[in-house]
Amino acid sequence: MAISHTAFSLISMIFLAGSLVMMWFVILSGVTHTSPLSQTYFLRANTDGISGARPISQWTYFYVCGDSNTDCSAPHPAPAVGSAWDGEPRRAPPAELLGGYGGNTTSFGYWYMWRFGWVFYLIALFFAVLAFFFGFVACCSRLGSAISGLITLAALIFYTIAVSLMTATFVKMRNAFIADSREAELGRWAFGFSWGAWAALLISTVLFCLGRRANKPDGVGPRRTWGRRRKSTHSRKSFDGRRVKEEYP
């Protein structure tokens, strides 16, 4: 039994909605102290003794917080990863993290990896929200499915770049802290939500595209076939008539 484009669109919207919810969990981490937002962070590291830093630092989307996402800094767009400590600290963090960016707190590589990842995350969120609203149009027409599929694909491309940059940034940071004999671990919730949202977005994109190619409603195909057959029959009759006239003048 063929699945209609409406069914494909509805299922796709469910996955797209799930992706959006997980994205918002990541963005809102550190805003409140309720679960799961209090457990959502990209990296948790021991920064005890570093000038201006908390004993435990947790990096979230808008904040650098203390243990359990408490004692957070003021929210900033694309905050420097080195905002967890003072500029030019007397007791320095791992050397590869420190540089002349973000008020002499962050190195060139970490400054741009996190900054571009942060921006691409917002761009992907914009396209995902846009695709969700176009999904209602996709339920009504195949053209809507095609448009929603293209917008969701754009969201997927930007989100893939964003999550890849974020993962690279904080995996390298964790390794730098560990190499400096400090405890550090990645946030399971933040990366679970981030890559879970990526998987849901991928499935949603595929389903929107399948909806565009779903079987046509009953009756469309046979009418076109009958029309072609009638034309073909008419042509044969005309040809037979001309042949009879030529043979019997």
Side-chain angles (χ1 to χ4, degrees):
M1 182 178 180
I3 302 177
S4 68
H5 75 278
T6 302
F8 274 117
S9 299
L10 288 174
I11 298 171
S12 182
M13 288 179 66
I14 292 172
F15 279 101
L16 186 55
S19 178
L20 285 169
V21 169
M22 288 186 279
M23 288 185 194
W24 280 111
F25 277 147
V26 172
I27 290 174
L28 296 176
S29 56
V31 173
T32 69
H33 301 152
T34 58
S35 181
L37 300 181
S38 60
Q39 288 93 30
T40 304
Y41 51 83
F42 292 111
L43 179 69
R44 172 189 171 93
N46 177 7
T47 51
D48 189 27
I50 298 175
S51 299
R54 301 164 182 79
I56 297 292
S57 293
Q58 295 183 173
W59 283 263
T60 68
Y61 193 77
F62 280 108
Y63 307 90
V64 176
C65 300
D67 191 22
S68 299
N69 282 354
T70 58
D71 186 26
C72 296
S73 62
H76 292 286
V81 296
S83 60
W85 46 77
D86 292 336
E88 299 180 354
R90 293 188 302 276
R91 296 189 63 182
E96 71 174 80
L97 304 181
L98 197 60
Y101 292 82
N104 296 320
T105 62
T106 309
S107 65
F108 172 86
Y110 287 96
W111 171 261
Y112 282 107
M113 276 197 301
W114 171 234
R115 208 165 187 82
F116 277 105
W118 196 95
V119 170
F120 278 118
Y121 203 101
L122 279 188
I123 296 173
L125 179 67
F126 168 77
F127 279 106
V129 171
L130 191 63
F132 181 79
F133 287 108
F134 265 97
F136 293 101
V137 180
C139 294
C140 303
S141 69
R142 290 180 182 79
L143 178 60
S145 294
I147 295 173
S148 297
L150 287 174
I151 298 174
T152 311
L153 178 61
L156 179 65
I157 292 171
F158 284 115
Y159 193 69
T160 300
I161 298 171
V163 178
S164 298
L165 287 172
M166 288 178 171
T167 302
T169 299
F170 291 106
V171 168
K172 286 171 63 66
M173 282 185 67
R174 179 202 60 183
N175 295 341
F177 278 110
I178 292 175
D180 198 43
S181 301
R182 292 179 179 273
E183 294 182 359
E185 62 179 13
L186 296 176
R188 291 176 294 176
W189 288 86
F191 282 105
F193 286 142
S194 295
W195 285 105
W198 181 87
L201 196 57
L202 174 63
I203 295 171
S204 178
T205 304
V206 172
L207 290 176
F208 272 130
C209 294
L210 290 176
R212 173 65 182 86
R213 300 178 61 85
N215 290 340
K216 295 179 180 179
D218 295 338
V220 173
R223 283 200 299 270
R224 291 186 178 180
T225 302
W226 176 81
R228 289 195 296 269
R229 287 178 180 175
R230 185 176 64 176
K231 182 178 179 181
S232 177
T233 302
H234 178 73
S235 299
R236 285 199 302 269
K237 286 182 177 180
S238 300
F239 176 77
D240 292 342
R242 288 196 301 270
R243 187 173 63 180
V244 169
K245 289 181 179 180
E246 290 173 358
E247 292 180 357
Y248 303 97

Short mmCIF file of all heavy atoms in Angstrom, two decimals, residues 242-249:
data_model
loop_
_atom_site.label_atom_id
_atom_site.label_comp_id
_atom_site.label_asym_id
_atom_site.label_seq_id
_atom_site.Cartn_x
_atom_site.Cartn_y
_atom_site.Cartn_z
N ARG A 242 -6.65 5.54 -45.40
CA ARG A 242 -5.88 6.01 -46.55
C ARG A 242 -5.38 4.85 -47.41
O ARG A 242 -5.35 4.90 -48.63
CB ARG A 242 -4.70 6.88 -46.07
CG ARG A 242 -5.11 8.23 -45.52
CD ARG A 242 -3.92 9.15 -45.43
NE ARG A 242 -2.87 8.59 -44.56
CZ ARG A 242 -2.81 8.80 -43.27
NH1 ARG A 242 -3.74 9.56 -42.67
NH2 ARG A 242 -1.84 8.25 -42.56
N ARG A 243 -4.99 3.75 -46.73
CA ARG A 243 -4.49 2.61 -47.48
C ARG A 243 -5.58 1.98 -48.32
O ARG A 243 -5.36 1.55 -49.48
CB ARG A 243 -3.92 1.56 -46.50
CG ARG A 243 -3.21 0.41 -47.23
CD ARG A 243 -2.53 -0.48 -46.23
NE ARG A 243 -3.52 -1.08 -45.36
CZ ARG A 243 -3.20 -1.93 -44.36
NH1 ARG A 243 -1.92 -2.24 -44.11
NH2 ARG A 243 -4.14 -2.43 -43.61
N VAL A 244 -6.82 1.89 -47.82
CA VAL A 244 -7.95 1.31 -48.57
C VAL A 244 -8.23 2.17 -49.80
O VAL A 244 -8.47 1.66 -50.90
CB VAL A 244 -9.20 1.21 -47.67
CG1 VAL A 244 -10.42 0.87 -48.53
CG2 VAL A 244 -8.98 0.15 -46.64
N LYS A 245 -8.22 3.52 -49.65
CA LYS A 245 -8.48 4.39 -50.80
C LYS A 245 -7.42 4.24 -51.87
O LYS A 245 -7.69 4.31 -53.07
CB LYS A 245 -8.54 5.85 -50.33
CG LYS A 245 -9.80 6.16 -49.52
CD LYS A 245 -9.81 7.62 -49.11
CE LYS A 245 -11.05 7.95 -48.32
NZ LYS A 245 -11.10 9.37 -47.91
N GLU A 246 -6.18 4.05 -51.47
CA GLU A 246 -5.11 3.91 -52.47
C GLU A 246 -5.25 2.61 -53.24
O GLU A 246 -4.97 2.54 -54.43
CB GLU A 246 -3.75 3.98 -51.77
CG GLU A 246 -3.43 5.37 -51.25
CD GLU A 246 -2.16 5.36 -50.41
OE1 GLU A 246 -1.60 4.26 -50.24
OE2 GLU A 246 -1.76 6.44 -49.95
N GLU A 247 -5.69 1.51 -52.53
CA GLU A 247 -5.78 0.21 -53.19
C GLU A 247 -7.04 0.11 -54.05
O GLU A 247 -7.06 -0.59 -55.07
CB GLU A 247 -5.78 -0.89 -52.15
CG GLU A 247 -4.43 -1.00 -51.44
CD GLU A 247 -4.43 -2.10 -50.39
OE1 GLU A 247 -5.51 -2.70 -50.21
OE2 GLU A 247 -3.37 -2.35 -49.78
N TYR A 248 -8.14 0.78 -53.70
CA TYR A 248 -9.41 0.72 -54.43
C TYR A 248 -9.86 2.13 -54.77
O TYR A 248 -10.65 2.74 -54.04
CB TYR A 248 -10.49 0.02 -53.60
CG TYR A 248 -10.08 -1.39 -53.18
CD1 TYR A 248 -9.53 -1.63 -51.93
CD2 TYR A 248 -10.26 -2.43 -54.07
CE1 TYR A 248 -9.17 -2.90 -51.56
CE2 TYR A 248 -9.88 -3.72 -53.70
CZ TYR A 248 -9.35 -3.96 -52.46
OH TYR A 248 -8.98 -5.22 -52.07
N PRO A 249 -9.41 2.66 -55.86
CA PRO A 249 -9.79 4.03 -56.22
C PRO A 249 -11.25 4.10 -56.63
O PRO A 249 -11.83 3.15 -57.04
CB PRO A 249 -8.84 4.35 -57.37
CG PRO A 249 -8.43 3.01 -57.92
CD PRO A 249 -8.44 2.05 -56.80
#
